[in-house]
């Protein structure tokens, strides 16, 4: 079976040196460790936003980075989806258009919007399809960001601390949603967190990071959970 | 009040922009039409209407061309990493620094059929580029260009690169990132540059005088006509019209910038 992701990279930035190697299969893998351990840097390398000094990155059997052979596939051509810490939804476009922009395999505006609408339904965000991101709460924005990350039919989805800016009640709710939607979509995912509870509840595999190194790897038995909540609750957040 | 707001909210950015453009154009048209009907009441309208229309014929295409070229070069300067970038910006900014007559002199050197370059250009284009409306448009474009370019560069550099990175992870090629993300996010700064560029094109004097030649009925724009009629009473009518044109144009472009794309 082809590994969903193989990473063997080094990268030096100032005094910090990242030197990691890991492989992941399907499901949701969590990179867990303290702030500054190199987790988000690893995601940026996988996404192709930064080039490593040495090493290789293989996504779904496709070599996207190989420093020795000077291969560096552009971010656009890596077929990834990404969910950022604060959503990074485009403020000048509606929620629906934000998601539709990420749809790769549909021709025509209406077809792309139809795919986007179905993803918004899956994350319980169909109710605010026509709203602008600035009018959404933090939890609602992350639902939309999750839909956008998956709407492009990616080979791999990367989630960079998607819950860290939310309050605890919303975090709990979105943990269930993220795991449910990603597992049901069948798209392998890598999630970064420094929260131990989050790592335990979300990951099929938890890869521990410390000071730029992988210090452990543990398989987590996840219970077969309920379907992810479909309806977005009225948020209590201010934004 | 509430109803009005809800209608505004239902309009998309493009619809709002279209409404503003149409309103400004209709405003100009109505103003001009009413002025014609009241020609007997408005002092010297017959004298000023020609330069007024010519100024519009010059300023509108000059703003469009300077805007497109300014945004494109501002983007290259903001995003490009190549030696001589700052030198290029300095060269592009020369029309701000140099006296307009100097710009006019160099334009004559480049465009006049009597010079080597100008002769070549005239043969290639098949059209004389000086002492006609084309010359006035070129002069106004050169005058407006640096304002559009500098504003576009600053605005584009101010866009948070994380939004562009997010767009790349969605598979958008760089040209779509520019059109769908960077330029819309930079639109306020860009429209401020277009506003100033438009005002500069409306009021261009020195280079237009040299390249256009201040020919009555052919290349005499409002700003040239105002100087020509400085000792006559119709200058007051011209000054008033030019001020109203500038206010209308700048308000329109400003509203365009504020409407959400």
């Amino acid at each position: 079976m082809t590994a969903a992701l193989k990473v063997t990279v080094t990268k030096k930035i100032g005094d910090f040196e990242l030197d990691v190697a890991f492989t992941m299969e399907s499901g949701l893998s969590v990179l867990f460790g303290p702030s500054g351990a190199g987790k988000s840097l690893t995601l940026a390398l996988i996404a192709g936003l930064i080039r490593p000094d040495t090493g290789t990155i293989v996504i779904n059997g496709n070599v996207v980075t190989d420093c020795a052979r000077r291969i560096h596939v552009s971010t656009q051509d890596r077929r990834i989806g990404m969910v950022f810490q604060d959503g990074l939804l485009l403020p000048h476009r509606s929620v629906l258009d934000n998601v539709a922009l990420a749809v790769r395999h549909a021709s025509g505006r209406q077809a792309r919007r139809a795919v986007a609408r179905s993803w918004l339904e899956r994350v319980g965000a169909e109710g605010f399809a026509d709203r602008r991101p600035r009018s959404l709460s933090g939890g609602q924005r992350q639902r939309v960001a999750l839909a956008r990350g998956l709407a492009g039919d990616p080979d791999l989805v990367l989630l960079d601390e998607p819950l860290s800016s939310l309050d605890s009640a919303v975090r709990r709710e979105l943990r269930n949603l993220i795991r449910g939607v990603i597992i049901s979509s069948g798209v392998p995912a890598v999630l970064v967190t420094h929260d131990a509870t989050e790592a335990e509840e979300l990951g099929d595999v938890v890869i521990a990071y410390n000071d730029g190194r992988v210090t452990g790897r543990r398989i987590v038995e996840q219970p077969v959970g309920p379907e992810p909540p479909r309806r977005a609750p009225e948020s209590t957040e201010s934004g | 009040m509430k109803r009005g707001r809800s209608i505004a909210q239902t309009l998309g950015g493009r619809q709002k922009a279209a409404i503003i453009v149409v309103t400004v154009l209709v405003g100009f048209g109505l103003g001009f039409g009413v002025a014609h009907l009241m020609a007997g009441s408005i002092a010297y309208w017959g004298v000023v209407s020609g330069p007024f229309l010519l100024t519009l014929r010059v300023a509108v295409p000059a703003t469009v061309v300077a805007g497109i070229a300014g945004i494109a070069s501002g983007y290259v300067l903001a995003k490009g990493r190549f030696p001589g970038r700052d030198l290029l910006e300095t060269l592009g900014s020369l029309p701000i620094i140099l006296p307009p007559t100097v710009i006019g002199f160099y334009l004559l050197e480049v465009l006049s059929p009597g010079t080597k370059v100008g002769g070549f250009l005239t043969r290639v284009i098949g059209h004389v580029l000086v002492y006609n409306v084309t010359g006035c448009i070129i002069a106004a474009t050169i005058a407006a260009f640096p304002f559009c370019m500098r504003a576009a560069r600053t605005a584009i550099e101010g866009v948070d690169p994380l939004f562009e990175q997010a767009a790349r992870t969605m598979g958008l090629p760089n040209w779509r990132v520019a059109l769908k993300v960077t330029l819309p996010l930079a639109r306020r700064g860009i429209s401020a540059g277009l506003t100033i560029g438009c005002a500069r094109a409306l009021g261009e004097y020195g280079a237009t005088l040299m390249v256009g030649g201040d020919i009555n009925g052919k290349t005499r724009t409002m700003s040239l006509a105002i100087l020509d009629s400085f000792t006559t009473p119709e200058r007051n009518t011209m000054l008033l019209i030019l001020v109203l044109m500038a206010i209308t144009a700048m308000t329109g472009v400003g509203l365009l910038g504020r409407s959400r794309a």
Side-chain angles (χ1 to χ4, degrees):
Chain A
M1 183 180 167
T2 307
L5 175 68
K6 275 185 186 175
V7 176
T8 312
V9 288
T10 67
K11 178 75 183 175
K12 197 169 186 320
I13 298 178
D15 292 336
F16 179 78
E17 195 172 341
L18 181 80
D19 185 352
V20 293
F22 62 86
T23 301
M24 65 164 280
E25 308 297 338
S26 59
L28 205 163
S29 298
V30 172
L31 306 185
F32 165 70
S35 294
K39 310 180 298 292
S40 293
L41 177 59
T42 305
L43 280 203
L45 292 168
I46 296 169
L49 299 172
I50 301 173
R51 292 180 188 228
D53 296 332
T54 65
T56 59
I57 297 169
V58 182
I59 298 174
N60 198 26
N62 301 312
V63 178
V64 293
T65 297
D66 186 339
C67 294
R69 289 195 288 158
R70 294 176 181 242
I71 294 172
H72 180 81
V73 175
S74 70
T75 300
Q76 288 98 327
D77 295 328
R78 291 192 176 211
R79 292 181 52 88
I80 53 159
M82 196 153 180
V83 180
F84 294 87
Q85 191 172 339
D86 47 5
L88 282 181
L89 301 178
L90 302 175
H92 58 287
R93 300 178 75 90
S94 71
V95 162
L96 183 64
D97 285 340
N98 259 279
V99 181
L101 200 59
V103 176
R104 290 183 174 100
H105 298 293
S107 55
R109 188 164 181 255
Q110 291 309 318
R112 281 197 297 275
R113 284 165 75 94
V115 173
R117 212 174 276 282
S118 74
W119 275 106
L120 285 174
E121 281 173 18
R122 288 179 74 167
V123 300
E126 68 273 28
F128 21 90
D130 296 325
R131 284 164 60 181
R132 296 285 171 136
R134 70 175 177 283
S135 71
L136 304 181
S137 69
Q140 289 168 337
R141 276 200 291 268
Q142 290 307 78
R143 282 173 186 267
V144 177
L146 179 63
R148 191 177 72 173
L150 287 161
D153 191 21
D155 286 340
L156 179 71
V157 72
L158 308 169
L159 302 100
D160 190 4
E161 307 218 31
L163 306 175
S164 63
S165 60
L166 306 175
D167 66 39
S168 56
V170 180
R171 287 173 84 141
R172 240 190 333 271
E173 188 184 297
L174 281 192
R175 272 204 291 268
N176 293 336
L177 177 84
I178 286 174
R179 179 156 178 87
V181 170
I182 283 177
I183 297 303
S184 67
S185 72
V187 179
V190 184
L191 181 142
V192 160
T193 182
H194 57 263
D195 183 312
T197 314
E198 219 164 274
E200 287 295 317
E201 291 190 10
L202 282 171
D204 296 304
V205 175
V206 176
I207 298 166
Y209 262 57
N210 196 17
D211 198 21
R213 305 285 189 275
V214 172
T215 56
R217 176 192 166 94
R218 195 162 63 80
I219 294 172
V220 181
E221 281 298 320
Q222 291 290 351
V224 178
E227 281 289 298
R230 293 289 313 279
R231 192 179 63 80
E234 290 303 314
S235 177
T236 54
E237 299 169 85
S238 58
Chain B
M1 184 76 185
K2 207 170 182 180
R3 182 173 167 76
R5 196 180 304 146
S6 67
I7 290 170
Q9 282 170 349
T10 58
L11 291 173
R14 283 180 194 166
Q15 289 161 313
K16 283 182 191 169
I19 288 171
I20 291 166
V21 168
V22 169
T23 306
V24 170
L25 290 177
V26 169
F28 265 137
L30 276 181
F32 193 77
V34 169
H36 250 307
L37 290 175
M38 298 172 62
S41 316
I42 299 176
Y44 309 106
W45 176 248
V47 180
V48 300
S49 60
F52 169 81
L53 279 181
L54 181 64
T55 303
L56 281 187
R57 272 181 68 195
V58 169
V60 171
T63 306
V64 171
V65 175
I68 292 170
I71 291 168
S73 48
Y75 186 88
V76 170
L77 289 171
K79 296 291 177 190
R81 296 287 173 268
F82 53 88
R85 202 163 52 123
D86 291 331
L87 180 66
L88 262 184
E89 177 164 7
T90 306
L91 286 175
S93 304
L94 279 179
I96 298 179
I97 306 156
L98 291 173
T101 43
V102 176
I103 297 294
F105 172 77
Y106 283 118
L107 278 177
L108 268 182
E109 282 293 306
V110 173
L111 301 176
S112 180
T115 63
K116 278 186 183 173
V117 182
F120 173 75
L121 282 176
T122 306
R123 278 196 302 279
V124 169
I125 298 168
H127 176 64
V128 176
L129 299 171
V130 291
Y131 303 123
N132 53 27
V133 177
T134 309
C136 295
I137 293 172
I138 292 172
T141 303
I142 298 291
F145 170 77
F147 296 99
C148 301
M149 178 195 71
R150 292 176 73 91
R153 178 184 180 169
T154 307
I156 289 165
E157 282 178 340
V159 172
D160 187 342
L162 286 176
F163 285 115
E164 295 165 317
Q165 286 189 0
R168 289 193 183 96
T169 66
M170 291 187 257
L172 297 189
N174 287 336
W175 67 269
R176 284 194 76 200
V177 174
L179 288 181
K180 300 280 184 182
V181 180
T182 312
L183 295 181
L185 289 175
R187 69 186 182 279
R188 289 187 185 204
I190 289 172
S191 70
L194 290 180
T195 306
I196 300 170
C198 178
R200 187 72 185 78
L202 280 172
E204 214 311 296
Y205 177 81
T208 306
L209 176 65
M210 295 189 71
V211 180
D214 190 15
I215 304 165
N216 191 13
K218 194 176 171 193
T219 61
R220 183 169 292 170
T221 58
M222 288 286 279
S223 46
L224 295 174
I226 284 169
L227 187 71
D228 290 334
S229 62
F230 204 69
T231 54
T232 62
E234 65 255 32
R235 67 158 187 221
N236 292 331
T237 311
M238 291 194 189
L239 286 169
L240 180 65
I241 290 172
L242 198 61
V243 169
L244 289 176
M245 276 172 68
I247 290 172
T248 313
M250 289 177 77
T251 306
V253 179
L255 286 172
L256 270 178
R258 278 199 289 281
S259 76
R260 301 196 179 284

